[in-house]
Amino acid sequence: MIEAVLTAVIAVTAIGLLCAVVLVVAAIVMHVKENEKEQKIRDVLPGANCGACGYAGCDGYAKALANEEGIATNLCTPGADRVSQAIADILGCEFEDTIEMVATVRCCGDCNNTEKKASYSGVNTCAGAKMLFGGDGACTFGCLGYGDCAAICPHGAICMDDGIARIDARKCIGCGLCVKSCPNKLIHMMPDVKREVIACHNKQKGADARSVCKNACIACGKCAKVCPVGAIVVADNLASIKYDKCISCSKCSEVCPVGCIKTADYSGKHRQ
């Protein structure tokens, strides 16, 4: 009986040792040497994994920078110039300026300017409300008001106030996660050096838009006519700004008859 037990123990031990040796040999033979530059770049990236750079998170961007030629070093919007400079130092290349971005909510349909068309009872998210006839608001283009964007913001830059989302630009790092979370696609990114925002996303005709929101764009075209550089276009019953042309003169907000063009300081967190 004892001999049988000892034989079993010895056999199991031998098998365990053999497996250990095989694993050690495999680890040595199949070892892939890490790219030191990739790890250094990963260490300086902010870790937001927002995808603003166009890659699958910070790991993907770091891998591309370390192993591919011609990848821009200024694609990390949350990291801004600090990260771009650090990456340039690691790669030994020229510094590329980062265009700091900030998120803006293209809606001013708060409780004072619009109203509810129904009483919603369901999943307390914008995505859930959107599935029920486009939401419970009179304006189906506007902010749904259930805070999906606020829930995903990593820096608490978004709050719900008077029924709509409001962004504190001083806290915004420009990661763009809120843009992806909004089912109505009314959160947009813009360079934080700009000063004008068209706070409306309603594409109905003027009278119909105004019937559901007092601040809705009526596509009158006055803003486009007064713009000295042709930065404003009116299409699909809605005005929009081409920020690559905009000089932030504020003339458009001065002539807007419904007050849906807002002028303010939208400097993001990186400029504080």
Side-chain angles (χ1 to χ4, degrees):
M1 184 66 179
I2 295 177
E3 291 179 357
V5 172
L6 289 174
T7 300
V9 170
I10 293 171
V12 172
T13 302
I15 293 172
L17 289 172
L18 179 61
C19 291
V21 171
V22 171
L23 289 173
V24 170
V25 172
I28 295 173
V29 173
M30 301 177 69
H31 173 69
V32 178
K33 187 176 180 181
E34 291 186 3
N35 188 321
E36 292 184 4
K37 287 185 177 180
E38 181 180 335
Q39 186 56 50
K40 288 180 179 179
I41 294 172
R42 181 63 186 85
D43 290 341
V44 301
L45 291 173
N49 291 314
C50 58
C53 59
Y55 293 88
C58 295
D59 288 340
Y61 186 37
K63 185 175 182 179
L65 284 166
N67 298 288
E68 300 177 26
E69 296 289 338
I71 305 299
T73 61
N74 62 346
L75 300 181
C76 181
T77 305
D81 289 340
R82 176 187 62 80
V83 168
S84 181
Q85 182 64 68
I87 293 173
D89 293 341
I90 294 170
L91 297 177
C93 61
E94 188 175 347
F95 164 74
E96 296 178 89
D97 181 50
T98 301
I99 300 176
E100 287 80 5
M101 306 292 285
V102 66
T104 58
V105 179
R106 304 297 169 88
C107 176
C108 49
D110 57 21
C111 297
N112 298 315
N113 295 316
T114 189
E115 56 188 25
K116 298 291 185 181
K117 66 180 180 183
S119 178
Y120 171 70
S121 179
V123 180
N124 196 36
T125 63
C126 297
K130 176 71 174 178
M131 296 176 67
L132 187 65
F133 302 106
D136 55 354
C139 177
T140 56
F141 293 88
C143 180
L144 291 154
Y146 290 94
D148 289 15
C149 52
I152 203 171
C153 180
H155 282 262
I158 306 176
C159 68
M160 307 309 296
D161 181 38
D162 284 339
I164 65 171
R166 300 188 189 276
I167 297 176
D168 185 345
R170 297 168 298 178
K171 296 180 180 179
C172 180
I173 61 172
C175 65
L177 290 174
C178 55
V179 175
K180 301 172 185 177
S181 72
C182 180
N184 270 355
K185 308 301 179 185
L186 55 84
I187 302 181
H188 296 253
M189 304 300 296
M190 76 171 192
D192 71 353
V193 294
K194 302 302 179 181
R195 295 293 178 265
E196 284 74 41
V197 170
I198 296 178
C200 181
H201 201 247
N202 194 315
K203 296 181 180 180
Q204 294 175 293
K205 291 184 178 180
D208 294 330
R210 286 279 284 175
S211 69
V212 294
C213 180
K214 296 177 183 178
N215 261 149
C217 175
I218 57 175
C220 64
K222 289 185 177 180
C223 52
K225 291 178 182 178
V226 77
C227 181
V229 293
I232 300 181
V233 295
V234 179
D236 295 329
N237 302 311
L238 181 66
S240 62
I241 300 175
K242 294 182 178 180
Y243 285 109
D244 58 337
K245 293 184 178 181
C246 180
I247 58 174
S248 295
C249 64
S250 301
K251 291 183 178 180
C252 55
S253 62
E254 293 171 1
V255 300
C256 180
V258 295
C260 73
I261 303 181
K262 309 296 183 182
T263 297
D265 183 355
Y266 295 100
S267 298
K269 184 177 177 63
H270 300 300
R271 299 189 187 278
Q272 304 305 313

